[in-house]
Amino acid sequence: MLIAILWIMWMTGYESTISGIDRAVQAFLANPSLRSWCDGDQAKVQRFLYEALRHDGVVLYTPIPRIAVSELALGGVTVPAGASVRMLIAGANRDPRVFRDPDTFDPTRDPRRMLSAGNCCGTTLGRAEMAHVVTGLQQRFPTLVAAGEPAWSPATLARRTLETLPARLG
């Protein structure tokens, strides 16, 4: 049993970090004017990563449903008792009532209102790994540019992952 739990923890941490790196590199390629955010100042790199995850999050919705114990009104909709409810994280991170111009990539945003920042024990390690990759990419390949459209894998387990992200040295 312990081995199964450790395997699940390793796989979920690995997949989330890899997908987060995908989002950060995709944002890096799509926003060349913002590359200075990835020049090594760790506070700025972290803001860039938070925005990459807000703008195009890895987790689309909460994978474990919540069950309404009684009837309640939620966003103008009546949810009956016993109904399964899931939070659409990707939608919440694009809510115009919370984020000014939510479809624009803007690393100057306050990251405290984002739901994609994560709250598990591996979040800090994952963001450190993401920061290392994005900073290293900027330093080693400063002329890297997008070379086509990304290809997406089918969404599974409430996640959306990249299959390919074409890039070339410019």
Side-chain angles (χ1 to χ4, degrees):
M1 181 69 163
L2 178 61
I3 292 173
I5 292 170
L6 291 173
W7 183 83
I8 289 169
M9 287 174 59
W10 181 78
M11 284 304 294
T12 57
Y14 172 79
E15 183 181 329
S16 296
T17 301
I18 293 301
S19 294
I21 289 169
D22 288 348
R23 296 312 193 282
V25 173
Q26 184 182 17
F28 179 85
L29 295 173
N31 300 283
S33 65
L34 298 175
R35 287 186 178 203
S36 64
W37 280 78
C38 302
D39 280 340
D41 176 337
Q42 287 306 302
K44 287 179 71 177
V45 171
Q46 289 299 321
R47 295 291 288 265
F48 187 91
L49 295 175
Y50 275 115
E51 179 63 2
L53 294 172
R54 183 210 62 85
H55 189 259
D56 191 9
V58 174
V59 178
L60 304 175
Y61 56 87
T62 54
I64 300 171
R66 282 29 176 208
I67 307 301
V69 295
S70 62
E71 184 177 288
L72 70 136
L74 187 62
V77 174
T78 299
V79 178
S84 172
V85 180
R86 294 176 191 247
M87 181 174 57
L88 183 59
I89 296 169
N93 280 330
R94 293 287 186 103
D95 186 343
R97 294 171 296 180
V98 178
F99 302 103
R100 180 185 46 79
D101 199 10
D103 295 333
T104 299
F105 186 89
D106 179 6
T108 65
R109 290 181 204 277
D110 181 355
R112 293 177 292 180
R113 309 249 356 236
M114 300 171 194
L115 297 179
S116 55
N119 203 13
C120 72
C121 59
T123 300
T124 303
L125 176 60
R127 280 198 314 265
E129 292 169 330
M130 291 169 58
H132 180 73
V133 169
V134 173
T135 302
L137 188 68
Q138 169 66 358
Q139 291 170 350
R140 188 153 184 199
F141 304 108
T143 63
L144 193 67
V145 294
E149 291 298 315
W152 295 94
S153 297
T156 57
L157 298 174
R159 296 173 188 261
R160 192 172 78 127
T161 59
L162 280 170
E163 227 170 75
T164 61
L165 182 58
R168 65 176 170 74
L169 295 176

